Amino acid sequence: MRDAIARALVCMLGLLLPARGRHAAAPTTEPGTEPAPVNPWSRPWTGPTKEEAAEFFRQQAECTLELGVIRERRRAAVLATMGTDYPYSYPGAPFPASSFAAEGSAA
């Protein structure tokens, strides 16, 4: 009884699932016609558009500016630990860089 159930199950699975491996059916094509080879140069370029490239370079420029600001702040912090005043200023700072000049010196 188990053998009959197993054979029925295998037959049903064989009908539902496509064959694989060396026993699989060969793809059917019309006789005398072969598919044309695909030329990789015939496809259109799939690179970034002008807008995508502009956005990428804008992000790079912003990152570079941020790194410059970070570098400037680190320099000011290092010089402050050594006891040296560094005329560090930034846009919107409450004091301009000229206010850090020592009195009596020509700045």
Side-chain angles (χ1 to χ4, degrees):
M1 181 70 174
R2 284 188 223 163
D3 293 336
I5 294 173
R7 281 189 208 131
L9 183 61
V10 168
C11 288
M12 289 182 69
L13 287 176
L15 293 174
L16 295 176
L17 298 175
R20 295 184 185 172
R22 64 182 180 161
H23 298 292
T28 58
T29 59
E30 295 179 18
T33 60
E34 293 184 14
V38 178
N39 185 354
W41 298 104
S42 66
R43 289 179 288 180
W45 176 256
T46 58
T49 63
K50 284 185 176 183
E51 292 79 19
E52 292 171 341
E55 177 66 18
F56 173 76
F57 287 121
R58 186 190 61 74
Q59 290 174 353
Q60 291 288 0
E62 285 180 3
C63 182
T64 303
L65 289 175
E66 288 177 17
L67 290 176
V69 170
I70 292 170
R71 193 175 301 120
E72 187 78 13
R73 288 178 183 165
R74 286 182 180 168
R75 181 180 298 131
V78 167
L79 289 174
T81 58
M82 295 187 317
T84 304
D85 284 336
Y86 180 70
Y88 170 66
S89 184
Y90 53 91
F95 304 105
S98 61
S99 66
F100 290 100
E103 292 182 19
S105 65

